[in-house]
Amino acid sequence: MFVDHQECDVVVTGVAPVGIAVRADGHEGFINLTKHPSWWSDAPRAAVGDRMRAVVLDATRTPPRLSALPSDIRTARSLRHTAPLVRLCPPSGDGRTVRWAAVEDTLGTALPADYKRLVGTYGGGVFAGAIWLLEPGCPDAMYDLVAQTAEREEILAGLWEIGEEKPPELQDGEVRLVPWGYAEGSGHVLYWLVRPGVEPEEWTVILNEGRGPLWEAHPVSCSRFLLDVVAGTTTSYYFTDLDDMVDPEDRHRFLPNSRLLGE
């Protein structure tokens, strides 16, 4: 049985004017014509017997709807960790509806689909008593995504101007940082490493320690990073001893901004 965001190899079993019938592991699926690369490029049209990589967009449809577009596959990979995070650390019902186009226009970059899903599900707030998820439009600028992007750019520019060494990941002058998380108390800041030509779903998470010059990069999405911290499977030096830093009752708890900031 297919599940949403599942990635699989499929075989084309039929081609029609509106789309493509496929099969994977004994299960039938359907790819709309616009969800095949040939609709958007000079790629060959699908033919019976073709094998391709696809991802499940909607497992509730009959037959389930899939996509063979690389962009949809990348998006699904980033969303894959939001569902287990929700199961492990339930939201409080404070999810946000955000005008993402306006936010992205202000930032000058698109944002990862999994981050948008997190804000829509949780809103801003603290995971596992440790990581504050920044959100657009937060009344406290300290936890506002847009405000912190501008503030951290200014702070880092000042540090580098006085001689603090940049990490290797930032040696390319066209790379920029966009902060998405903050560790209360320690002051660690979690950024996306934004490289020209790299899709948001493929951005690296990079941490700057709050009281020193050290950096730590993780080639994962922000939802995967949060899931690993909450689940206790993180490889981050700064969160491996989380049980010693937070109260046990906070380990799998999300506290929303409405409660923390008295909105």
Side-chain angles (χ1 to χ4, degrees):
M1 179 178 295
F2 289 124
V3 296
D4 287 353
H5 314 313
Q6 176 185 349
E7 193 175 336
C8 53
D9 292 314
V10 301
V11 178
V12 177
T13 58
V15 178
V18 294
I20 305 153
V22 297
R23 174 184 288 269
D25 297 326
H27 301 292
E28 304 294 333
F30 188 80
I31 297 175
N32 289 328
L33 197 59
T34 60
K35 292 298 183 179
H36 186 272
S38 61
W39 180 265
W40 305 100
S41 69
D42 294 330
R45 294 183 179 181
V48 173
D50 283 354
R51 296 179 179 272
M52 68 186 78
R53 197 69 173 167
V55 67
V56 179
L57 299 180
D58 188 350
T60 65
R61 299 282 294 277
T62 303
R65 294 315 195 249
L66 287 78
S67 172
L69 296 180
S71 58
D72 284 339
I73 292 173
R74 288 193 297 266
T75 297
R77 287 175 182 170
S78 75
L79 290 172
R80 195 171 298 155
H81 301 99
T82 57
L85 179 61
V86 166
R87 290 193 295 270
L88 192 60
C89 188
S92 59
D94 288 61
R96 292 273 315 285
T97 298
V98 175
R99 294 178 58 211
W100 289 111
V103 173
E104 292 170 331
D105 184 61
T106 299
L107 292 173
T109 181
L111 292 171
D114 69 314
Y115 170 72
K116 297 177 187 178
R117 177 72 61 86
L118 289 176
V119 173
T121 302
Y122 290 94
V126 176
F127 286 88
I131 299 178
W132 206 307
L133 181 69
L134 307 183
E135 65 173 337
C138 180
D140 188 327
M142 182 69 185
Y143 309 109
D144 179 79
L145 178 77
V146 175
Q148 282 305 301
T149 298
E151 182 174 320
R152 296 308 305 180
E153 285 179 347
E154 183 177 343
I155 290 172
L156 290 173
L159 290 173
W160 292 326
E161 186 176 346
I162 63 175
E164 183 169 306
E165 187 176 356
K166 289 183 180 182
E169 293 85 357
L170 299 182
Q171 295 301 325
D172 184 343
E174 295 187 3
V175 172
R176 64 176 294 203
L177 296 171
V178 175
W180 62 268
Y182 175 73
E184 192 76 27
S186 64
H188 308 324
V189 180
L190 291 155
Y191 297 92
W192 289 294
L193 187 63
V194 182
R195 292 188 175 98
V198 177
E199 296 291 332
E201 278 62 49
E202 297 179 345
W203 288 350
T204 288
V205 168
I206 186 166
L207 178 150
N208 180 210
E209 64 175 354
R211 298 186 176 91
L214 300 182
W215 294 76
E216 180 187 78
H218 296 267
V220 298
S221 65
C222 65
S223 57
R224 172 63 185 273
F225 189 91
L226 285 171
L227 176 61
D228 285 341
V229 170
V230 172
T233 57
T234 184
T235 59
S236 170
Y237 169 80
Y238 299 95
F239 296 103
T240 52
D241 58 349
L242 191 61
D243 287 332
D244 297 329
M245 298 188 294
V246 303
D247 293 333
E249 60 267 24
D250 286 333
R251 195 66 171 76
H252 296 139
R253 178 185 295 175
F254 174 79
L255 295 176
N257 282 342
S258 59
R259 177 172 172 181
L260 295 167
L261 303 178
E263 297 178 27

